Amino acid sequence: MIRLRPVTEADVPVLDRQHSSPEDGGELSWYGFRQPGSMARRLAANETITNDRGTLAVVDDDGNVVGDVSWIRSFNGPPPNGDCWNVGIWLVPEHRGKGYGTEAQRQVAAYLLDNTFLERIEAGTETGNIAEQKALEKAGFTREGVLRRACFRGGQWRDMVVFSKLRGEP
Ligand SMILES: CC(C)(COP(=O)(O)OP(=O)(O)OC[C@H]1O[C@@H](n2cnc3c(N)ncnc32)[C@H](O)[C@@H]1OP(=O)(O)O)[C@@H](O)C(=O)NCCC(=O)NCCS
């Protein structure tokens, strides 16, 4: 259905769409215009995957890039003892609602648990982002609770739902 692979230069125009307009970025994940070319610069610097963060392209059965998944080292206790990964996802609008978000988040969690020794994969989303909450639950993440007014978007502070998947969970 979909697979993950390293980002290439050819993917950049598609992946840059997430910062180009609210419609492309997603109604509930638009935080304003970003400096263009950040992915191109990371590629040029050979830094799409480092020890502390990474991005992989999401590719469909026809080889089309349909979005990306990313992760960043986060912590809930004194580093490095409290380290975990926090993951995020963006899909192009025309490929949403096909199950790709569920599968891509299942695959990125498996990838990180297979290739790094951290125990906990976290994901957060606004309480209003029902598609992402359903996708995370279907991908085997557990809803843990709500962080109140944790993220500013669209002129107001928003409550965020925290999900996690731990090593060994299906
Ligand atoms: C959020 C996102 C990753 C979900 O991925 P997706 O491929 O669209 O979702 P899926 O097809 O896997 O569907 C997951 C569930 O959400 C439901 N769903 C999909 N779009 C929905 C919507 N707009 N409203 C409510 N439910 C929705 C699906 O029906 C499915 O539930 P079901 O199995 O009970 O029917 C994707 O829509 C996206 O990239 N959105 C823009 C960026 C974004 O919001 N990223 C997350 C920021 S935290």
Side-chain angles (χ1 to χ4, degrees), residues 76-98:
N76 294 295
N81 301 54
D83 282 6
C84 66
W85 296 119
N86 187 291
V87 296
I89 182 166
W90 171 81
L91 298 175
V92 298
E94 51 271 36
H95 287 292
R96 293 174 195 160
K98 298 176 169 183

Side-chain angles (χ1 to χ4, degrees), residues 1 18 23-31 66-68 87-93 95-105 123-126 128-136 138 160:
M1 172 189 246
Q18 61 197 286
E23 294 72 30
D24 278 352
E27 186 195 352
L28 301 169
S29 58
W30 173 252
Y31 301 97
V66 297
D68 66 22
V87 296
I89 182 166
W90 171 81
L91 298 175
V92 298
H95 287 292
R96 293 174 195 160
K98 298 176 169 183
Y100 293 175
T102 299
E103 184 54 26
Q105 290 178 106
T125 192
E126 285 184 19
N129 196 338
I130 304 302
E132 174 63 348
Q133 289 170 60
K134 283 188 170 180
L136 285 167
K138 291 175 73 182
M160 301 286 289

